[in-house]
Amino acid sequence: MISELRLFSFCVLLCLFSSSCKGQNQENSITDFERKTDDPLDGIRIAWDYSSLKRLAPRDGRQLSWAGYPRVKRLNNGMLVAVYETNGNVEIISSEDNGLTWSDPSILFEKHIRSSVTISKANGELIQLSNGDLVAGCNYRPSNDGIAPFAIAVKRSSDLGKTWSESQVIYEAGKDFRNGCWEPAFLQLPSGEMQVYFANEAPYTQSDEQEISMLSSSDEGNTWSGEAVTVSFRKNHRDGMPVPVIGGDEILVAIEDNASGQFKPWIVRTPLDKPWIKPVDGDSPNREAAHHEELPDQVYAGAPYLVRLPSGELLLSYQTTRGRTDNWELSTMEVAIGDSEGRNFSRITQPFDVPLDREAKWNSISLWDENTVVAASTTSFRNPACEVWTILGHIVKEPVAPVSPVSVDGRMNENEWKERFPLFIGHKGMVNARADIARDDDFLYFAAKVNYESSEAIPGTTDDDGVTIYVDAGNYNLTCPDSGLFRVFCNRNEEFRFHEGRKGEWIHEEAEGIKLSTQDLENKGYRLELAIPFSALNYREGNDIRINVKLSYRDKDGSITEENIVHAVDDASNTWCRVKMKP
């Protein structure tokens, strides 16, 4: 009996060890690996670029108590325009050198006095129409109740913002704060019809309810419909802060919905050809929670913003207490990636590194160029007072390994590396890297450009300064190292260490045929080219693979910084980037 119990205990321990890594088995059979995979992380990723951080307001030494609610737009001629609110006005600035420098601010919507009450201007928005005209909007906010109505107003410019028309009030709500209207956002349909969406309390003077309303214009914003259409309304709740986009044959609107008690991002939708025939109520199938995995009820996630990428996916930004305190005033900005239908938002990132006692709110996200987005925030992450900051996010698409034989010499020959370097690493500091991948019949090639800015790193510490390449040679999607997974650490002195996964650990191996060459740029960084023989990876022709790249360096203060491709985890290949192995 004792022997049987010992045998049973040994078997239990053996089973526990065997299951400690999802996707692995005790015999390291690649055939069995393929039957024991974990959910992969596939699709595009957004990699935020710390070196691109820029403060837009205040500027030129001005002292502002608060600057926020920023929106950044790229115009058809390449010029950048940003609007934000401060001191009761909506200001506008522009850049003609891709954001390196910005113009002095000018007032787009200026606060005014009516019957001794100050009417502040807030919630600035901007759209460029198909004919090239600019239309800007804002929210009128009286400082005291009972004198003047809360309202939505617009201006237009036919000369790219050099001159603007007078303000035109297109909607008036109640004269009390609890019956106001808020947060206009624009959309132009393929037909040319223009729409403005806004949060509206005016229909609910006897309750705390709020709906999303919409006005339309058939003459590109010169005149507007007199009666607002109800877009969405959940009884006894508050739909708010709408932002519309076109998705295929639908109009999609991101809203904040407090059905769970705390606001969360939801998407409401309607056919493009017959929009908003009836309001999207709380039980409508045209109302869906945005996140693929629902946020806990106690988590606040409000003030959504929505943008469509050139590849069709949607980005959703919002401000949230997730992972922070329960004080919504100390929220931070998050960005999630959804599919082309505006569903399954996941792959969440936080553009700004915000301490728990600071904030990043009233955010927006927009296209910078076809490969880059810009996040704009009202944030105190650097100073106690809220300021307008932006940061660029690189759109990391799933890489393709083209057939392109490479001379491994560290020179980054443009004929060999024809594509842009799509893999970006650099959210933690001014040191960053771009990487790319290629192949021929015998080798898998990697190239990395490591860039130092402001002498933030100490060059030449070989144990800390380098690039680690990870390869899942069979697209096994494992959650810890095992057979079929490999890593190669390379430093700037052309030294490398090759490891293979085995039973949850990385085992050092001698590998024949690996080639490494670097080019030292002294304090500016280095360039690196690596060739790994397919024979060392046990690669089977025709398989996709997965890769990760990790950047390592020692800061001037002596601490070591390590950063992977966004969302990638060192040992979990199901989080690495899938690579199409182009024949």
Side-chain angles (χ1 to χ4, degrees), residues 55-59 62-70 84-87 319 328-332 354 357-363 377-390:
R55 185 176 63 181
L56 298 190
R59 299 176 52 248
R62 287 199 305 164
Q63 299 297 316
L64 301 177
S65 60
W66 188 89
Y69 208 86
Y84 56 88
E85 62 179 87
T86 186
N87 291 341
Q319 58 196 39
W328 79 270
E329 292 281 12
L330 299 178
S331 297
T332 193
V354 181
D357 62 347
R358 301 291 179 89
E359 64 184 278
K361 302 204 306 286
W362 317 122
N363 314 292
S377 182
T378 311
T379 179
S380 58
F381 80 128
R382 290 285 180 88
N383 295 297
C386 279
E387 304 169 324
V388 172
W389 282 79
T390 60

Side-chain angles (χ1 to χ4, degrees), residues 6 21 46 127 136 176 241 248 257 259 273 285 340 443 462 532 575:
R6 286 176 176 171
C21 292
I46 302 298
I127 186 174
D176 298 331
M241 302 201 70
D257 181 340
D273 58 347
S340 60
F443 288 94
T462 58
I532 309 174
T575 68

Side-chain angles (χ1 to χ4, degrees), residues 101-339:
T101 62
W102 291 80
S103 67
D104 291 334
S106 60
I107 295 178
L108 179 57
F109 291 97
E110 187 171 13
K111 62 187 175 185
H112 67 275
I113 305 295
R114 178 175 173 180
S115 301
S116 74
V117 171
T118 300
I119 313 296
S120 295
K121 310 300 167 63
N123 303 148
E125 260 292 355
L126 186 73
I127 186 174
Q128 185 170 32
L129 304 182
S130 57
N131 69 355
D133 286 359
L134 304 182
V135 175
C138 77
N139 177 208
Y140 281 19
R141 295 190 178 181
S143 58
N144 297 100
D145 284 352
I147 303 297
F150 288 76
I152 304 298
V154 299
K155 282 187 173 185
R156 63 185 306 112
S157 171
S158 298
D159 55 11
L160 298 179
K162 294 178 183 177
T163 61
W164 291 87
S165 68
E166 294 296 321
S167 291
Q168 175 190 5
V169 174
I170 62 174
Y171 184 82
E172 291 185 341
K175 296 181 179 180
D176 298 331
F177 184 85
R178 65 189 303 271
N179 298 319
C181 56
W182 323 90
E183 302 117 7
F186 296 111
L187 180 68
Q188 187 174 32
L189 306 186
S191 65
E193 177 184 329
M194 191 179 173
Q195 300 177 335
V196 60
Y197 293 76
F198 55 97
N200 193 8
E201 295 174 293
Y204 309 103
T205 58
Q206 304 304 311
S207 72
D208 195 35
E209 295 166 309
Q210 181 175 267
E211 68 171 41
I212 303 302
S213 299
M214 185 270 290
L215 296 174
S216 61
S217 171
S218 59
D219 57 5
E220 297 181 312
N222 287 294
T223 60
W224 293 85
S225 56
E227 186 172 348
V229 171
T230 299
V231 169
S232 69
F233 172 68
R234 186 192 289 273
K235 189 173 177 57
N236 298 322
H237 291 83
R238 294 179 59 82
D239 288 356
M241 302 201 70
V243 178
V245 298
I246 294 175
D249 59 358
E250 292 184 309
I251 299 173
L252 312 177
V253 183
I255 66 169
E256 59 178 20
D257 181 340
N258 62 345
S260 67
Q262 294 282 6
F263 283 110
K264 305 286 194 304
W266 287 65
I267 304 294
V268 297
R269 61 186 69 231
T270 190
L272 182 59
D273 58 347
K274 295 181 180 179
W276 317 117
I277 298 300
K278 63 178 183 177
V280 178
D281 63 22
D283 298 323
S284 172
N286 291 325
R287 178 190 294 253
E288 299 171 296
H291 284 86
H292 177 64
E293 295 184 3
E294 290 187 13
L295 298 176
D297 286 350
Q298 68 272 20
V299 168
Y300 161 80
Y305 209 84
L306 201 59
V307 66
R308 177 173 295 280
L309 300 181
S311 52
E313 296 93 340
L314 294 176
L315 296 188
L316 173 73
S317 73
Y318 50 91
Q319 58 196 39
T320 184
T321 59
R322 190 177 71 94
R324 299 172 67 80
T325 70
D326 59 2
N327 181 1
W328 79 270
E329 292 281 12
L330 299 178
S331 297
T332 193
M333 182 181 189
E334 289 191 339
V335 175
I337 304 172
D339 59 30

Side-chain angles (χ1 to χ4, degrees), residues 400-404 406 416-417 436-440 443-446:
V400 175
V403 176
S404 179
V406 174
E416 297 171 345
W417 300 102
D436 208 347
I437 185 171
R439 61 159 298 178
D440 61 17
F443 288 94
L444 188 64
Y445 298 103
F446 291 89

